[in-house]
């Protein structure tokens, strides 16, 4: 515990200062001990330093790992947030695109609607509801398809600019019962709140009936009147209600040269063209579903309008200042008869197909039964005994096709042997058959196949049997 200068001669716990002369009294052994102790102390300090350095490295590594994990966690959270933000932005982008598309579609719809309104109404928004009144008691107004309206309707049309448009004033007429047609206007002389309907418009609407008569002699049916502009017609297809008109048309001449009618005092077209010209001339509009009366030969034939061209935008056309082609379709009666005939043909064809299918299935089943029966019969069939054998019976068999066969069988054999003979070569082309004696008639069926001929009473040297299919 002493120092090199003092020689270490003092005790371990001594705190006295050593004298200088003591340094010279130290022996070499003491110096070696002191050196050893110093080395041990140095080694101990080195070990503690290494432990401290190792602990510091572990702490530094732990701090680095913790920082790395923190950064990775923050990066993962940031990536998830970025991904979620990207998904939200994509959803928002899609929603914006859908919204823009909807806005564009809505704008296009509104544009088309404005164009449609402009084409059909010319920008005139006129819609009024009137009580229907019949014009049949006024012959000068009941012909054609022009209605009468009150003066207030004229004022409303003038105020909305309808009078400034070129062309005929045409209107769409509808009823709560579902009736719909188009008509023009002949005069603005109707009573306020009423609309006068000629015979053709009444028939086309189909809503004015005697049950709607009021005490005042008018009608209770309400008619909604809308201003509409109709395109000039180029084609119309009419269908007669009955076949009488078709028979009448066949007797008409084929000339299209106008002739002068002295009775009516005007030029008329002969044949079907003249009849249709006379029927359509008083009209100004035609709508799909309209009922048109065509007078000819003292009779009036009702026709329904099946088709008009151009069909857009209202399935109606005007007949003013236009050349129109008229086509006559088969009558309703002829069409119903044709549909009934086609229905009967279809039903008959289905029945024939079902019968053919049934026959095919039956033939297939019969063929399978015959083949199965033949294979079994061939495996059981024994050789035919000699003619001079004892107890032999010669069976004369008459087949359904008229063929005659003879088979010798012992009377002790069973009926199944004779059946196997018939089945082995498929001599009977039927799934089921019976054997019958000639006189007296007795039926031998498959249920008796295990009975011997003696038991069946067939013991004569010669027996005749008839094969009958079932």
């Amino acid at each position: 515990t002493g120092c090199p200068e003092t020689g270490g001669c003092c005790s371990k716990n001594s705190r006295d200062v050593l004298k200088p002369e003591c340094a010279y009294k130290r022996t070499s052994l003491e110096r070696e001990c002191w050196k050893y102790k110093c080395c041990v102390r140095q080694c101990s300090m080195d070990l503690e330093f290494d432990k401290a350095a190792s602990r510091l490295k572990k702490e530094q590594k732990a701090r680095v790992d913790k920082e790395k994990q923190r950064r990775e966690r923050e990066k993962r959270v940031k990536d998830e947030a970025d991904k979620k933000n990207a998904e939200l932005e994509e959803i928002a982008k899609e929603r914006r695109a859908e919204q823009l598309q909807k806005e564009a579609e809505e704008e296009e719809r509104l544009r088309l609607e404005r164009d449609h309104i402009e084409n059909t109404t010319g920008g005139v928004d006129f819609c009024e509801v009137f009580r229907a009144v019949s014009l049949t008691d006024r012959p000068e107004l009941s012909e054609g398809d022009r209605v009468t309206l009150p003066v207030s309707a004229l004022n409303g049309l003038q105020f909305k600019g309808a009078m400034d448009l070129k062309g005929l004033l045409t209107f769409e007429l509808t009823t709560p019962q579902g009736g719909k047609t188009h008509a023009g206007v002949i005069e603005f002389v109707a009573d306020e709140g009423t609309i006068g309907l000629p015979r053709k418009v009444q028939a086309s609407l189909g809503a004015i009936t005697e049950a709607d008569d009021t005490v005042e002699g008018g009608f209770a049916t309400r008619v909604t009147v809308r201003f509409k502009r109709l395109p000039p017609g180029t084609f119309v297809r009419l269908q007669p209600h009955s076949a009488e008109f078709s028979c009448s048309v066949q007797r008409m001449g084929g000339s299209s040269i106008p002739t002068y009618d002295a009775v009516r005092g005007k030029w008329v077209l002969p044949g079907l063209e003249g009849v249709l010209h006379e029927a359509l001339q008083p009209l100004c509009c035609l709508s799909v579903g309209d009922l048109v009366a065509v007078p000819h030969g003292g009779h009036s034939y009702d026709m329904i309008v099946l088709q008009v061209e151009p069909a857009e935008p209202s399935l109606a056309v005007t007949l003013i200042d236009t050349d129109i082609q008229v086509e006559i379709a088969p009558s309703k009666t002829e069409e119903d008869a044709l549909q009934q005939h086609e229905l009967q043909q279809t039903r008959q064809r289905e029945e024939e197909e079902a019968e053919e299918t049934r026959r095919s299935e039956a033939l297939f089943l019969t063929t399978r039964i015959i083949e199965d029966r033949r294979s079994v019969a061939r495996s059981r069939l024994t050789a035919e005994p000699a003619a001079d054998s004892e107890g032999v019976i010669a069976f004369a068999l008459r087949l359904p096709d008229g063929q005659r066969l003879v088979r010798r069988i012992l009377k002790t054999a069973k009926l199944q042997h004779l059946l196997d003979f018939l089945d082995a070569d498929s001599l009977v082309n039927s799934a089921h058959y019976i054997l019958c004696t000639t006189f007296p008639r007795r039926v031998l069926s498959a249920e008796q196949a295990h009975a011997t001929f003696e038991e069946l009473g067939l013991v004569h040297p010669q027996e005749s049997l008839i094969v009958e299919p079932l």
Side-chain angles (χ1 to χ4, degrees):
T1 59
C3 64
E5 299 298 331
T6 60
C9 59
C10 299
S11 64
K12 182 177 180 181
N13 296 325
S14 179
R15 295 182 182 272
D16 298 334
V17 180
L18 298 178
K19 296 180 179 181
E21 59 270 12
C22 292
Y24 297 100
K25 296 178 179 181
R26 290 178 298 181
T27 63
S28 60
L29 180 61
E30 289 176 349
R31 285 195 299 271
E32 292 296 328
C33 290
W34 179 82
K35 290 181 180 181
Y36 174 75
K37 291 180 180 179
C38 289
C39 290
V40 170
R41 186 180 300 172
Q42 183 67 31
C43 290
S44 176
M45 293 177 63
D46 291 341
L47 290 175
E48 291 179 359
F49 178 78
D50 292 340
K51 291 181 180 180
S54 177
R55 186 169 55 252
L56 178 61
K57 288 182 179 179
K58 289 181 180 179
E59 292 176 356
Q60 289 178 347
K61 187 176 183 300
R63 285 195 296 269
V64 170
D65 293 341
K66 186 177 181 180
E67 182 66 18
K68 185 178 180 180
Q69 293 176 358
R70 185 184 67 79
R71 291 181 179 180
E72 289 179 354
R73 185 169 57 253
E74 291 179 354
K75 184 178 182 300
R76 186 166 54 252
V77 172
K78 183 176 180 300
D79 293 342
E80 291 178 356
D82 293 341
K83 183 178 179 180
K84 191 171 183 179
N85 291 334
E87 292 178 354
L88 293 176
E89 290 180 359
E90 186 67 22
I91 294 174
K93 184 178 179 181
E94 292 179 356
R95 289 180 178 177
R96 286 194 300 270
E98 292 178 357
Q99 184 66 23
L100 292 176
Q101 184 178 0
K102 290 182 179 179
E103 292 177 356
E105 291 176 354
E106 181 67 16
E107 185 177 355
E108 180 66 15
R109 187 188 66 80
L110 294 176
R111 186 188 66 80
L112 294 176
E113 185 176 349
R114 288 193 301 269
D115 294 342
H116 176 74
I117 295 175
E118 180 66 24
N119 294 332
T120 56
T121 66
V124 178
D125 184 16
F126 178 83
C127 181
E128 298 289 343
V129 180
F130 300 100
R131 181 172 59 86
V133 176
S134 177
L135 296 178
T136 54
D137 56 343
R138 299 180 63 180
E140 73 279 5
L141 300 178
S142 62
E143 298 298 329
D145 60 350
R146 291 174 174 83
V147 300
T148 60
L149 293 174
V151 178
S152 60
L154 174 62
N155 296 332
L157 291 170
Q158 289 177 339
F159 176 76
K160 295 186 177 182
M163 297 302 180
D164 299 333
L165 300 177
K166 295 181 181 180
L168 179 70
L169 294 179
T170 52
F171 302 89
E172 178 188 80
L173 309 182
T174 58
T175 63
Q177 293 82 1
K180 180 179 179 180
T181 187
H182 293 78
V185 59
I186 187 170
E187 291 181 356
F188 292 92
V189 295
D191 296 336
E192 287 298 326
T194 64
I195 177 174
L197 302 182
R199 187 178 293 105
K200 184 262 181 184
V201 177
Q202 294 182 36
S204 298
L205 283 176
I208 300 179
T209 62
E210 295 181 357
D212 293 326
D213 288 349
T214 62
V215 179
E216 294 80 6
F219 293 90
T221 301
R222 302 296 173 178
V223 179
T224 302
V225 180
R226 291 183 178 86
F227 179 78
K228 292 284 185 179
R229 297 179 66 183
L230 302 179
T234 59
F235 173 82
V236 61
R237 192 164 186 255
L238 305 177
Q239 182 186 46
H241 271 237
S242 64
E244 297 178 0
F245 182 78
S246 300
C247 298
S248 177
V249 166
Q250 293 177 359
R251 296 191 295 267
M252 297 180 183
S255 177
S256 61
I257 301 176
T259 59
Y260 184 77
D261 188 347
V263 177
R264 291 183 289 179
K266 62 178 182 179
W267 291 87
V268 296
L269 292 172
L272 178 60
E273 186 176 358
V275 173
L276 296 176
H277 183 270
E278 290 294 328
L280 299 179
Q281 188 177 18
L283 307 181
C284 65
C285 301
L286 280 180
S287 307
V288 173
D290 278 1
L291 194 65
V292 180
V294 179
H296 174 64
H299 300 278
S300 180
Y301 302 96
D302 291 334
M303 294 190 179
I304 188 171
V305 180
L306 296 181
Q307 179 184 356
V308 294
E309 291 182 5
E312 297 296 335
S314 305
L315 296 178
V317 295
T318 178
L319 304 180
I320 303 301
D321 297 333
T322 183
D323 293 330
I324 190 168
Q325 180 183 357
V326 182
E327 178 182 307
I328 303 298
S331 65
K332 184 66 175 175
T333 305
E334 295 172 338
E335 191 177 60
D336 293 342
L338 180 61
Q339 291 179 353
Q340 186 67 21
H341 179 66
E342 292 178 352
L343 183 62
Q344 291 178 355
Q345 286 186 338
T346 302
R347 188 182 299 112
Q348 182 179 359
R349 186 165 54 252
E350 291 176 352
E351 292 176 355
E352 292 176 354
E353 292 176 355
E355 180 66 19
E356 184 65 26
T357 302
R358 187 189 64 80
R359 290 178 181 175
S360 300
E361 293 176 353
L363 179 61
F364 176 76
L365 181 60
T366 301
T367 304
R368 287 290 302 274
I369 293 175
I370 293 175
E371 290 178 354
D372 295 343
R373 197 166 59 195
R374 179 176 57 189
S375 60
V376 174
R378 286 182 176 180
S379 64
R380 295 186 305 199
L381 187 63
T382 59
E384 186 178 12
D388 55 353
S389 300
E390 183 179 357
V392 173
I393 303 175
F395 285 95
L397 303 174
R398 187 172 68 185
L399 302 181
D401 58 357
Q403 184 180 2
R404 294 179 181 273
L405 299 175
V406 177
R407 177 71 176 183
R408 296 187 302 274
I409 304 177
L410 296 175
K411 61 182 180 180
T412 57
K414 297 180 180 180
L415 178 62
Q416 184 66 54
H417 184 85
L418 187 57
L419 299 177
D420 291 340
F421 168 70
L422 295 172
D423 295 337
D425 294 328
S426 301
L427 298 176
V428 184
N429 191 19
S430 176
H432 305 282
Y433 61 91
I434 58 176
L435 300 177
C436 301
T437 59
T438 55
F439 185 82
R441 178 180 172 84
R442 190 155 56 96
V443 176
L444 304 176
S445 61
E447 287 77 7
Q448 300 170 306
H450 297 287
T452 63
F453 291 107
E454 289 180 334
E455 295 173 349
L456 295 173
L458 302 175
V459 294
H460 295 89
Q462 293 183 353
E463 294 284 353
S464 296
L465 295 177
I466 301 174
V467 182
E468 295 182 358
L470 296 179

